[in-house]
Amino acid sequence: QVQLVESGGGLVQAGGSLRLSCAASGPTFSNYAMAWFRQTPGKERDFVAGISRGGGGTSLADSVKGRFTISRDNAKNTVFLQMNSLKPEDTGVYYCAAKRRTYATIRPTDYDYWGLGTQLTVSS
């Protein structure tokens, strides 16, 4: 069982930066590929960024390429999402997810564990 706790969300102006963190419980964090998803009211959860369990492989949604970076620290059981040049359309609840595979994928149904989410609001 893996428990995920997101933090770092908040209110930021367009053009600003923020870093989200996701802390995982358990000794086997490095066995899991990790990802961030975003959800807005009435919409499905969308893939934002993913990282392989070793950290060597990352993937980003087209909408955030060049602005967001995903990274992980397996020694600290934490995955990060650095968000720069934020836009109002980045607003949503950001969820951290874990899957017991090597590589992250874009489908929410592929993931075994989820955090409760953290709200990001980007004002124009």
Side-chain angles (χ1 to χ4, degrees):
Q1 188 79 10
V2 175
Q3 291 186 325
L4 304 173
V5 179
E6 303 94 337
S7 61
L11 175 63
V12 62
Q13 287 188 332
S17 297
L18 210 61
R19 188 176 80 160
L20 303 182
S21 299
C22 172
S25 64
T28 59
F29 177 69
S30 59
N31 288 344
Y32 293 84
M34 302 295 295
W36 289 95
F37 287 79
R38 176 175 63 221
Q39 189 168 27
T40 54
K43 296 188 176 182
E44 295 184 350
R45 211 165 279 192
D46 292 329
F47 175 82
V48 174
I51 188 165
S52 63
R53 61 183 185 179
T58 61
S59 55
L60 296 168
D62 288 343
S63 61
V64 305
K65 284 180 179 176
R67 301 188 298 122
F68 289 13
T69 303
I70 186 170
S71 61
R72 66 189 295 162
D73 184 339
N74 284 347
K76 296 183 178 179
N77 284 15
T78 305
V79 62
F80 305 98
L81 184 67
Q82 178 66 44
M83 305 180 293
N84 300 327
S85 302
L86 283 162
K87 303 176 181 180
E89 50 263 44
D90 295 321
T91 294
V93 178
Y94 282 73
Y95 295 91
C96 176
K99 58 180 289 192
R100 194 178 173 86
R101 293 292 187 272
T102 299
Y103 296 106
T105 51
I106 66 172
R107 294 182 303 184
T109 53
D110 290 344
Y111 290 79
D112 303 303
Y113 302 102
W114 292 85
L116 296 180
T118 185
Q119 174 71 45
L120 169 68
T121 302
V122 183
S123 62
S124 57

